[in-house]
């Protein structure tokens, strides 16, 4: 027998002589191999299911996750530093680039924070317009989440459904302010643009068409056996951990904490509207899915009420051309689709902020990843990253 | 498995969840009390915090909403924060509480660095501020105590937000709050990354957004906006400059 023939790749079943198992035995005799129960695996930053440029270092025992470490900052653009070198109005478009799938919410939080600093309040019509657009934006953000999250887990169809329906929202944005994603829809003191002709009809049409579509999404997933197996009991966070980790938004609510800034500390005109805060029971990936789906329904409710009650009047308050807030500092936060989005602005009385701090929900929520995936399998890490609904533009700023 | 598919109904009201009561007005009525009431108001310019309007008052305080073009209306002023919490803290720590004020309805405390950890712990354990919203810093290079550390806290039971601030010198370390709130871990790492403030006892103090080995702390005021760690860029990215 030549060496060539004894090579295990050529060993035939039933053939005597060295076979596959012999070679494996040889390998396992190696002491270093025997002791290597832990494996360190790098995931990302270029990985389709990390939703951008997130790098996670996984410490594994076989398929089981023992621990993780997130390496972030690949998308760091120094937004806070830029904020200190721009005037208040000039910084407004920059905030759209943080959470770029929910740019309207970013703009709302920023404008409100500066308005607070100026002691100005947007007129009622502007507030209603803002609510309509922000809730549309919440739906579109949740649609992006649902589509990509389902895709990560292996369901391809919801992605197409979600992006198809999201298009209608983006069309409304485009008609309203000319941009689809980075909208720069609001100005300090109110809105720059009046609602276009047919805005109300478009919104109503969208609401009417969207609810059956939402049922379609649910039909695909809610009772889908694979979906349920992949999400139920995965990435559980209990309420105490959520609060200790500062996790907010749908992730917090899915753990059973009924807390939403729109209700707890109403801003804009949210106190005028009737809506529920959906909560979950188990704090797992499946509950987070249900909570977000229900949030979309509630957003539709809010949009309908706001469109029906849209007051007339001015759309922007009287703010000086050159915005020079008095010396002082404010922290203001809103309920963005991902959680509590806060702005801490320090003014020194000049035209530029002295300090512009953004409290990003994605950054804080991402910190919970380690706690959520310990003891799970590698495939569940993908599901948990998806369910946290992070946007790296906001994590890194 | 049909029983698994029966999920919780998210719309149904949750009995276990903490339901914040009706929205509380941002400014408690007592805060409108006249300025005359005690409260250690900072009068020395050295200790004065930046929020204190430093300009000579051209006009008595007028609500800034009036956007009259005429003389620039003076902004709102911090008012003493009168509440049980502020009073009990004052009586316990005395001058350790440098300020307890509200500004446009937002409450804040300025405390001495030596009692910061004690106050934070007390806020969580006794006062119900169980959620640490944010930790950040502000750089004032001209001041002796160059940095303001800012802790934004929120209480779920009270539906109330308060900011705890302290002033520290360049090179001072602060005791980590990551033992009080887990969320402080990354937030403090970001402060370290951006300002170079070190935290004692932090489990994993290293840069978070910038790469390890980067020189300089970008959010300090003496760090120009165009500055980069050219050496790092040349070695690690293989390009002459990132500009």
């Amino acid at each position: 027998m030549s060496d060539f023939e004894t090579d295990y790749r050529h060993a035939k079943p039933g053939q005597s002589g060295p076979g596959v198992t012999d070679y494996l035995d040889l390998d396992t005799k190696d002491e270093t191999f025997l002791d290597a129960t832990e494996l360190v695996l790098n995931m990302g930053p270029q990985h389709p299911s990390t939703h951008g440029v997130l790098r996670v270092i996984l410490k594994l025992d076989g398929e089981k996750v023992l621990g993780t470490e997130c390496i972030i900052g690949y998308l760091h653009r120094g937004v806070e530093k830029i904020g200190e070198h721009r005037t208040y109005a000039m910084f407004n478009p920059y905030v759209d680039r943080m959470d770029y799938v929910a740019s309207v919410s970013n703009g709302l939080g920023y404008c409100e924070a500066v308005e607070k600093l100026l002691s100005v309040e947007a007129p009622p019509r502007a507030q209603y317009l803002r609510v309509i657009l922000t809730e549309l934006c919440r739906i579109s953000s949740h649609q992006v989440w649902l589509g990509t999250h389902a895709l990560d887990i292996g369901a391809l169809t919801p992605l197409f459904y979600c992006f198809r329906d999201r298009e209608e929202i983006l069309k409304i944005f485009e008609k309203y302010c000319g941009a689809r994603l980075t909208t720069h829809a609001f100005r300090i003191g109110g809105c720059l643009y009046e609602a276009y002709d047919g805005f109300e009809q478009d919104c109503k049409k969208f609401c009417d068409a969207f609810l059956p579509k939402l049922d379609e999404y649910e039909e695909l997933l809610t009772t889908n056996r694979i979906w349920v197996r992949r999400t139920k009991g995965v990435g559980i966070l209990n309420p105490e951990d959520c609060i200790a980790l500062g996790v907010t938004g749908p992730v917090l609510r899915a753990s059973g904490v009924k807390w939403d800034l729109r209700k707890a500390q109403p801003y804009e005109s949210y106190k005028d509207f009737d809506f529920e805060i959906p909560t979950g029971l188990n704090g797992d990936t499946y509950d987070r899915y249900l909570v977000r789906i229900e949030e979309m329904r509630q957003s539709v409710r809010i949009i309908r009420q706001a469109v029906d009650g849209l007051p007339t009047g001015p759309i922007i308050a009287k703010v000086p051309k050159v915005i020079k807030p008095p010396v002082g500092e404010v922290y203001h936060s809103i309920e963005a689709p991902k959680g509590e989005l806060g702005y801490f602005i320090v003014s020194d009385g000049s035209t530029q902020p002295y300090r512009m701090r953004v409290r990003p929900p994605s950054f804080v929520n991402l910190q919970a990843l380690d706690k959520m995936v310990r003891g799970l399998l590698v495939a569940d890490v993908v599901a948990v990253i998806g369910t946290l609904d992070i946007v790296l533009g906001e994590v890194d700023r | 498995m049909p029983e698994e598919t029966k999920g919780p109904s998210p719309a149904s009201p949750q009995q276990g969840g903490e339901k914040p009561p009706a929205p509380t007005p941002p400014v408690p009525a007592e805060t409108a009390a006249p300025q005359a009431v005690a409260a250690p108001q900072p009068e020395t310019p050295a200790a004065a915090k930046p929020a204190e309007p430093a300009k000579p008052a051209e006009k008595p305080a007028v609500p800034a909403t009036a956007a009259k073009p005429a003389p620039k209306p003076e902004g709102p002023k911090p008012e003493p924060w009168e509440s049980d919490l502020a009073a009990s803290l004052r009586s316990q720590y005395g001058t350790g509480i440098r300020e307890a004020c509200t500004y446009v309805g937002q409450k804040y405390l300025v405390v001495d660095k030596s009692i910061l950890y004690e106050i934070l712990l007390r806020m969580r354990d006794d006062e119900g501020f169980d959620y640490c919203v944010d930790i950040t810093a502000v750089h004032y290079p001209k001041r002796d105590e160059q940095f303001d550390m800012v802790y934004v806290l929120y209480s779920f039971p009270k539906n109330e937000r308060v900011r705890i601030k302290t002033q520290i010198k360049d090179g001072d370390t602060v005791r980590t709050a990551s033992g009080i709130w887990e969320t402080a871990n990354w937030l403090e790492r970001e402060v370290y990354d951006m300002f170079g403030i070190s935290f004692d006892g932090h489990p994993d103090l290293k840069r978070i957004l910038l790469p390890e080995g980067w020189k300089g702390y970008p959010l300090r005021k003496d760090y120009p906006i165009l500055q980069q760690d050219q050496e790092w860029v040349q070695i690690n990215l293989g390009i002459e400059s990132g500009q």
Side-chain angles (χ1 to χ4, degrees):
Chain A
M1 237 182 213
S2 71
D3 281 344
F4 177 75
E5 281 171 321
T6 56
D7 192 309
Y8 72 93
R9 281 168 296 183
H10 298 274
K12 293 194 173 64
Q15 189 186 7
S16 60
V20 178
T21 46
D22 298 306
Y23 278 87
L24 278 180
D25 278 344
L26 266 179
D27 276 347
T28 48
K29 272 171 205 145
D30 183 2
E31 275 188 351
T32 54
F33 184 83
L34 272 177
D35 285 337
T37 52
E38 284 178 9
L39 174 73
V40 175
L41 188 73
N42 180 58
M43 181 172 166
Q46 276 82 34
H47 189 285
S49 71
T50 55
H51 294 241
V53 280
L54 168 67
R55 180 174 163 212
V56 188
I57 295 174
L58 301 166
K59 203 165 132 194
L60 303 172
D61 175 10
E63 184 85 348
K64 208 173 103 187
V65 180
L66 299 175
T68 63
E69 191 184 345
C70 291
I71 313 285
I72 56 173
Y74 293 94
L75 217 53
H76 180 60
R77 292 150 294 172
V79 167
E80 292 178 11
K81 188 79 179 173
I82 293 171
E84 292 171 11
H85 289 78
R86 298 285 180 276
T87 64
Y88 287 91
M90 279 161 78
F91 185 60
N92 200 350
Y94 281 92
V95 298
D96 287 355
R97 273 82 181 164
M98 290 190 303
D99 181 357
Y100 38 75
V101 300
S103 51
V104 181
S105 300
N106 292 329
L108 178 73
Y110 174 70
C111 290
E112 287 210 329
V114 179
E115 282 159 20
K116 198 146 207 172
L117 210 50
L118 287 166
S119 307
V120 170
E121 199 174 76
R125 185 174 171 83
Q127 293 196 4
Y128 271 61
L129 280 174
R130 282 175 168 193
V131 166
I132 295 170
L133 292 167
T134 314
E135 291 306 316
L136 283 172
C137 171
R138 187 183 312 276
I139 295 176
S140 84
S141 166
H142 282 357
Q143 279 171 328
V144 173
W145 159 79
L146 179 63
T148 52
H149 180 41
L151 185 68
D152 288 345
I153 292 184
L156 196 61
T157 322
L159 180 82
F160 298 122
Y161 280 22
C162 288
F163 275 68
R164 175 195 68 193
D165 303 334
R166 176 170 172 258
E167 194 60 28
E168 300 307 315
I169 298 177
L170 298 187
K171 274 182 191 157
I172 294 178
F173 287 165
E174 194 178 6
K175 274 177 161 176
Y176 176 74
C177 60
R180 289 155 55 85
L181 286 176
T182 45
T183 49
H184 192 197
F186 307 137
R187 297 297 188 276
I188 294 156
C191 304
L192 179 61
Y193 309 109
E194 183 52 88
Y196 61 86
D197 285 344
F199 175 74
E200 289 93 333
Q201 285 83 336
D202 275 2
C203 291
K204 278 188 173 165
K205 223 168 80 188
F206 168 77
C207 290
D208 294 340
F210 179 62
L211 285 181
K213 302 257 174 72
L214 202 48
D215 295 335
E216 256 178 40
Y217 305 165
E218 284 219 77
E219 232 166 77
L220 285 172
L221 296 172
T222 306
T223 54
N224 181 322
R225 183 176 288 209
I226 304 170
W227 179 259
V228 173
R229 287 289 285 267
R230 284 296 307 273
T231 54
K232 267 226 154 175
V234 170
I236 297 177
L237 262 189
N238 60 36
E240 294 77 33
D241 284 344
C242 276
I243 291 171
L245 283 161
V247 169
T248 45
V251 185
L252 176 71
R253 291 190 281 275
S255 297
V257 182
K258 198 166 183 172
W259 186 76
D260 187 316
L261 273 169
R262 290 175 293 172
K263 286 268 194 204
Q265 302 193 332
Y267 50 93
E268 288 300 325
S269 48
Y270 276 108
K271 55 187 177 308
D272 299 353
F273 308 119
D274 185 26
F275 63 99
E276 301 278 332
I277 307 172
T279 51
L281 283 175
N282 310 317
D284 59 3
T285 303
Y286 187 70
D287 278 14
R288 285 187 279 274
Y289 154 76
L290 288 179
V291 163
R292 288 199 179 97
I293 290 277
E294 187 55 34
E295 267 183 23
M296 289 197 244
R297 289 213 173 82
Q298 298 301 330
S299 290
V300 169
R301 257 178 92 184
I302 297 173
I303 295 168
R304 281 183 166 156
Q305 292 171 49
V307 169
D308 285 339
L310 192 62
T312 50
I315 53 164
I316 190 155
K318 276 187 183 160
V319 280
K321 276 231 167 64
V322 177
I323 294 167
K324 272 173 108 172
V327 180
E329 51 186 57
V330 292
Y331 174 85
H332 182 71
S333 60
I334 64 155
E335 185 73 32
K338 281 148 187 93
E340 174 172 353
L341 170 69
Y343 290 88
F344 176 66
I345 307 177
V346 180
S347 162
D348 60 352
S350 70
T351 54
Q352 297 176 342
Y354 188 78
R355 171 88 172 97
M356 168 68 61
R357 160 72 182 167
V358 184
R359 189 264 183 205
S362 294
F363 177 83
V364 180
N365 288 4
L366 181 60
Q367 201 179 170
L369 179 74
D370 184 57
K371 188 154 256 175
M372 289 163 86
V373 300
R374 279 186 188 223
L376 300 182
L377 305 179
V378 177
D380 294 329
V381 176
V382 171
V384 172
I385 292 173
T387 194
L388 277 175
D389 193 15
I390 49 160
V391 164
L392 268 297
E394 192 180 54
V395 173
D396 297 342
R397 281 155 292 135
Chain B
M1 52 211 59
E3 70 278 3
E4 267 198 18
T5 63
K6 223 175 127 259
S9 58
S12 67
Q14 207 61 51
Q15 65 281 16
E18 293 168 59
K19 168 87 175 82
T24 51
V27 196
E30 345 37 305
T31 53
Q35 198 112 345
V37 195
Q41 281 289 84
E43 256 129 1
T44 53
K49 56 170 293 306
E52 195 73 7
K55 283 180 283 181
E58 304 140 43
K59 276 195 109 190
V62 175
T65 30
K68 284 276 192 275
K72 198 180 171 293
E74 192 67 28
K77 284 198 165 49
E79 288 169 356
W81 174 25
E82 297 303 331
S83 72
D84 294 346
L85 171 59
S88 78
L89 285 174
R90 261 191 225 117
S91 66
Q92 187 177 343
Y93 296 104
T95 51
I97 308 287
R98 294 193 196 170
E99 277 177 66
C101 298
T102 64
Y103 179 75
V104 292
Q106 301 189 341
K107 299 149 195 155
Y108 65 87
L109 291 167
V110 183
V111 304
D112 205 74
K113 189 201 153 212
S114 55
I115 57 165
L116 173 72
Y117 188 81
E118 219 174 307
I119 297 266
L120 292 178
L121 202 60
R122 177 172 167 171
M123 292 303 266
R124 184 196 68 174
D125 290 340
D126 302 341
E127 311 296 343
F129 287 87
D130 41 6
Y131 164 32
C132 176
V133 182
D134 198 8
I135 298 175
T136 189
V138 190
H139 188 205
Y140 298 96
K142 290 193 188 114
R143 255 178 19 194
D144 182 34
E145 293 172 311
Q146 284 198 7
F147 295 98
D148 262 10
M149 281 294 303
V150 184
Y151 296 76
V152 184
L153 309 180
Y154 177 83
S155 160
F156 280 100
K158 291 184 186 167
N159 187 22
E160 190 176 299
R161 204 171 256 137
V162 70
R163 285 198 302 270
I164 312 269
K165 303 204 301 179
T166 191
Q167 298 174 352
I168 59 169
K169 292 193 176 108
D170 190 12
D172 273 4
T173 58
V174 184
R175 189 167 167 191
T176 178
S178 55
I180 309 179
W181 299 280
E182 270 178 85
T183 181
N185 187 333
W186 279 24
L187 293 170
E188 286 180 344
R189 272 177 71 187
E190 196 184 339
V191 172
Y192 168 72
D193 194 0
M194 294 295 156
F195 291 93
I197 297 171
S198 290
F199 293 89
D200 280 337
H202 191 284
D204 187 25
L205 193 64
K206 59 184 181 191
R207 287 189 181 269
I208 186 162
L209 293 177
L210 293 174
E212 271 310 310
W214 189 271
K215 286 198 195 73
Y217 301 104
L219 282 182
R220 289 188 176 207
K221 289 288 174 188
D222 48 15
Y223 192 99
I225 189 163
L226 288 177
Q227 185 180 325
Q228 278 197 343
D229 186 352
Q230 296 290 1
E231 203 187 329
W232 189 94
V233 169
Q234 281 160 13
I235 292 170
N236 291 281
L237 302 181
I239 52 176
E240 200 49 43
S241 161
Q243 305 290 343

